[in-house]
Amino acid sequence: MVPAWRTRHDADLESCQCPSEWKWRSESRWTYFIWTRSADPGFWDVLEYSRAPVIASHSSVRGICNHSRNLTDEQIRALIANDGAIGLTFVDFFTVSEKRKVWIDDLLRHLDHICALGGVDHVRFGSDFDGITETFGDMASAADYSQLLEALLKRYKEAEVLKFVQ
């Protein structure tokens, strides 16, 4: 796996091009790119250079929460076509645009949207619990995953839920 991210803050960088060695790595022994935290041009470069599925390890849906780290519908469709995956994040400001307490139902809006785009086989959870200070009102740590599973089983078939959490 090759991690792919930029090293400067979003506001500092309008575009991020993949280093040329990524192309070499994607053609050799590497299996997946892990993409997140890149500007939009960097995202498209990773898809162009990778010969394997791309994973956006902890992102959400930009159409629901307009943050540059979140994915557009076009990007989500491209990951689906690449047989890649999106790991929905539990970061509050990637989940809702307004400053407020976030809940599992807010996260599930992102999941519902990706599934509506055909992504039921391409979505996972990339919590980011190790990098956040604000947590959901009903899920503060990995110990609360059972709350998420209960909510998922109310909306989705068990086989779909198993795909999401594998």
Side-chain angles (χ1 to χ4, degrees):
M1 298 179 107
V2 178
W5 63 87
R6 65 170 179 230
T7 57
R8 299 188 321 182
H9 189 271
D10 288 343
D12 297 335
L13 193 60
E14 290 184 16
S15 67
C16 175
Q17 302 299 315
C18 293
S20 59
E21 67 268 18
W22 287 7
K23 185 174 189 319
W24 174 83
R25 288 179 178 173
S26 70
E27 293 172 349
S28 63
R29 63 187 176 94
W30 301 100
T31 306
Y32 289 89
F33 273 107
I34 300 177
W35 173 88
T36 204
R37 296 185 188 174
S38 178
D40 290 352
F43 170 89
W44 296 111
D45 284 347
V46 169
L47 281 182
E48 178 185 341
Y49 292 140
S50 178
R51 294 191 177 212
V54 173
I55 301 168
S57 57
H58 41 291
S59 296
S60 292
V61 177
R62 195 177 300 173
I64 294 173
C65 179
N66 189 18
H67 190 285
S68 61
R69 171 124 147 229
N70 289 342
L71 303 176
T72 65
D73 285 0
E74 182 182 16
Q75 291 170 321
I76 293 167
R77 286 185 190 102
L79 277 180
I80 292 167
N82 169 262
D83 200 28
I86 304 149
L88 292 177
T89 184
F90 302 166
V91 176
D92 60 345
F93 54 88
F94 298 147
T95 307
V96 297
S97 296
E98 63 274 8
K99 182 68 178 156
R100 65 170 174 83
K101 186 52 101 175
V102 181
W103 304 91
I104 289 172
D105 279 345
D106 295 311
L107 177 69
L108 296 185
R109 289 179 52 221
H110 292 265
L111 177 64
D112 294 343
H113 187 85
I114 293 168
C115 289
L117 293 175
V120 73
D121 295 327
H122 304 275
V123 66
R124 307 291 181 266
F125 295 103
S127 69
D128 218 7
F129 278 132
D130 64 335
I132 60 176
T133 55
E134 296 291 323
T135 59
F136 288 14
D138 47 0
M139 193 169 52
S141 73
D144 297 323
Y145 260 74
S146 61
Q147 307 270 34
L148 175 60
L149 288 174
E150 288 176 25
L152 289 169
L153 288 168
K154 288 179 184 175
R155 283 173 120 122
Y156 292 93
K157 297 174 186 169
E158 185 176 343
E160 293 170 326
V161 172
L162 289 173
K163 290 177 188 181
F164 303 149
V165 299
Q166 65 180 342

